[in-house]
Amino acid sequence: MATVTWTTPVGLTVTQPYRKFSQRLVNTQLQSITVYDRNMPSPVNSQKQKTAFPPNFVHSLDASHMVLSAIECKIAGLVFASVHDSYWTHACDIDRMNEILRDQFVQLHELEIMENLKTELEQRYADHKMPTRTWEYASASALKIQKKGSKTGKAEKQLEEEQIIESSLADQHLQFCNDEDVQSEPLDSKTADAGTNVLEAENKSADDADAASSSANEHVVYIDLETVKLVDPKEDLAGALRQEDCIAYTLSVNIANQKKRRSAIFAEYKKISAIKKAKGKGKGKEAMPVSDEAAVMDTNDEAALLIQQLERERDAKLAEVKTSYVTEFKRKPIMVTQSRMLGTYKNVDSMTAETGVSGRFIPRLVWVDIEFDPLPKQGGFDIKEVRNSPYFFS
């Protein structure tokens, strides 16, 4: 974690010194003294950094105005002194100094101060990350696939473990920073339940789930996954969520159809097992005449050839079925944050209801690249009016 650092309009670099210094209480005969060792590496006091930045930034602008005014008064031959935002000169030069103060104030604030600050912070902290609470969308069909899916492989298990560790570290970071703004975000009851148990619908029958999905979500249709163009969630969140429902539904249908075709093929070639059993029975352990042994060998060879032919036909059909259906479709998960893509929706529950999606939003704590909110639109006040003000620096 880094301290907040910025550069003033006059080129002075400012760094906030707030850290959680280790302290030690030293008892003497007269009193108790608390000693802070500021030479030891200490964690940043993020709460103090956050609350102190706005006033400190304004103070740095005031100091920049004072420096610019002092330089201009020096050029104009005026005697100049100041303490913070109080400026002094000889009585005969007051009016002239006031003109200089107003003129330098206008020149300072005509600069793109906030734009320059945002650009500097984005460049300075480009390689930093921040923990944020997000919601990952999982459609009803995707949850159903996950429930009925095959065993998880080593790579998937490792990825899940890494995600759990990442979420735990982010949560600890938020608690350590005492980030009240983030921690005070209310979780809806549905979202909290989803986070506790992603597959809470496991006790419901598949038929009930299908009926509810088809009746409540008319937008869920089968689509062509080979030609589909993904909707950008940042441009159309509702459209991306509905498309995700369609993609997951299509995958579930393809998986079911593929499984049905595979079962039919295996049923069609059941005779392979029967031939193998009959071939095995022909291998007796007792001694038999040489002529009988030759007959058995010929029969076994024919059976082996027949088995090989049938297995090749079966495997060819299975391979065809495997390529006939799209059962995997790579796309980035749709992540929703409270401050960004949630937009005008009141909360996650209202977004689910208004967009009419079939799935649910699962809460996550993740580390993301640090981002800064867009600057608000500038007001209509003309700073140049300060030059003619009878009250400003008068």
Side-chain angles (χ1 to χ4, degrees):
M1 190 186 303
T3 58
V4 179
T5 302
W6 69 95
T7 305
T8 68
V10 296
L12 178 66
T13 300
V14 182
T15 299
Q16 296 188 147
Y18 312 116
R19 292 180 175 272
K20 294 182 179 179
F21 295 105
S22 58
Q23 60 184 34
R24 184 173 58 181
L25 185 65
V26 179
N27 295 316
T28 68
Q29 293 182 350
L30 297 178
Q31 60 184 347
S32 297
I33 302 174
T34 302
V35 179
Y36 295 91
D37 189 353
R38 298 181 180 272
N39 295 320
M40 291 294 293
S42 303
V44 172
N45 188 333
S46 60
Q47 184 68 15
K48 183 66 175 176
Q49 291 280 341
K50 180 176 66 174
T51 57
F53 172 69
N56 285 344
F57 180 69
V58 173
H59 292 326
S60 72
L61 296 181
D62 292 340
S64 299
H65 174 236
M66 182 189 68
V67 171
L68 294 173
S69 300
I71 294 173
E72 193 63 26
C73 285
K74 174 70 174 177
I75 295 174
L78 273 64
V79 175
F80 179 84
S82 66
V83 176
H84 189 49
D85 56 357
S86 178
Y87 306 103
W88 307 335
T89 189
H90 294 302
C92 60
D93 296 326
I94 287 292
D95 292 338
R96 176 62 182 138
M97 184 188 71
N98 288 343
E99 291 177 3
I100 293 175
L101 294 177
R102 288 193 290 269
D103 187 63
Q104 293 303 311
F105 187 88
V106 170
Q107 291 187 35
L108 173 64
H109 289 279
E110 281 182 334
L111 301 175
E112 295 181 344
I113 294 176
M114 297 307 298
E115 289 79 0
N116 294 338
L117 174 65
K118 184 173 184 292
T119 301
E120 180 185 358
L121 294 179
E122 288 174 342
Q123 294 175 354
R124 186 181 296 276
Y125 301 106
D127 58 344
H128 286 61
K129 292 186 177 294
M130 62 181 182
T132 182
R133 178 169 286 119
T134 62
W135 287 267
E136 179 180 352
Y137 180 69
S139 67
S141 299
L143 292 174
K144 190 175 178 180
I145 294 173
Q146 183 178 355
K147 183 176 75 171
K148 295 184 178 181
S150 58
K151 295 182 180 179
T152 306
K154 287 186 177 180
E156 289 79 4
K157 286 183 178 180
Q158 183 177 358
L159 180 60
E160 289 178 1
E161 292 175 358
E162 290 176 355
Q163 290 176 342
I164 292 173
I165 294 173
E166 180 181 357
S167 176
S168 176
L169 289 173
D171 190 32
Q172 292 177 16
H173 178 85
L174 292 178
Q175 294 177 5
F176 174 77
C177 296
N178 191 25
D179 197 332
E180 298 174 355
D181 293 339
V182 178
Q183 293 195 7
S184 62
E185 290 178 7
L187 283 177
D188 336 305
S189 59
K190 183 187 294 184
T191 307
D193 293 341
T196 306
N197 184 5
V198 175
L199 300 176
E200 63 179 358
E202 190 170 356
N203 296 327
K204 297 181 179 180
S205 67
D207 295 337
D208 292 342
D210 290 340
S213 176
S214 60
S215 61
N217 301 279
E218 297 179 355
H219 68 274
V220 180
V221 294
Y222 189 90
I223 60 176
D224 186 358
L225 296 179
E226 295 182 354
T227 60
V228 64
K229 185 178 180 181
L230 293 178
V231 178
D232 188 351
K234 295 181 179 179
E235 298 179 358
D236 183 6
L237 177 58
L241 294 175
R242 295 190 183 101
Q243 185 185 63
E244 176 63 23
D245 283 348
C246 294
I247 292 174
Y249 171 73
T250 302
L251 290 175
S252 66
V253 171
N254 288 349
I255 291 173
N257 289 337
Q258 186 186 71
K259 186 177 180 180
K260 190 180 298 183
R261 287 276 303 277
R262 285 174 58 87
S263 299
I265 292 172
F266 279 111
E268 180 184 353
Y269 287 88
K270 259 186 180 179
K271 51 189 173 185
I272 294 178
S273 300
I275 296 173
K276 286 183 177 180
K277 288 182 181 179
K279 177 184 175 183
K281 289 181 180 178
K283 294 181 180 179
K285 292 184 179 180
E286 298 179 359
M288 60 180 66
V290 176
S291 59
D292 293 342
E293 289 183 3
V296 170
M297 289 178 62
D298 292 340
T299 303
N300 286 342
D301 289 342
E302 292 178 1
L305 292 174
L306 179 59
I307 290 173
Q308 291 178 1
Q309 179 183 353
L310 292 174
E311 286 181 340
R312 282 196 296 268
E313 293 177 1
R314 182 198 63 190
D315 293 343
K317 291 184 178 181
L318 291 175
E320 181 183 357
V321 169
K322 185 176 181 180
T323 57
S324 298
Y325 298 97
V326 179
T327 58
E328 293 182 359
F329 189 81
K330 292 184 178 181
R331 72 274 192 197
K332 291 182 179 179
I334 299 178
M335 307 296 290
V336 179
T337 63
Q338 184 73 34
S339 59
R340 297 205 180 275
M341 288 169 56
L342 210 54
T344 57
Y345 300 105
K346 183 178 180 181
N347 51 38
V348 174
D349 280 345
S350 65
M351 180 171 62
T352 303
E354 293 182 34
T355 55
V357 293
S358 63
R360 66 189 59 143
F361 291 89
I362 305 169
R364 307 285 192 200
L365 271 176
V366 297
W367 290 88
V368 298
D369 293 334
I370 193 167
E371 292 183 12
F372 296 91
D373 293 334
L375 294 174
K377 186 178 180 181
Q378 191 172 2
F381 176 73
D382 186 0
I383 191 65
K384 295 179 180 178
E385 295 181 11
V386 170
R387 285 196 175 100
N388 302 323
S389 172
Y391 306 105
F392 200 78
F393 292 120
S394 298

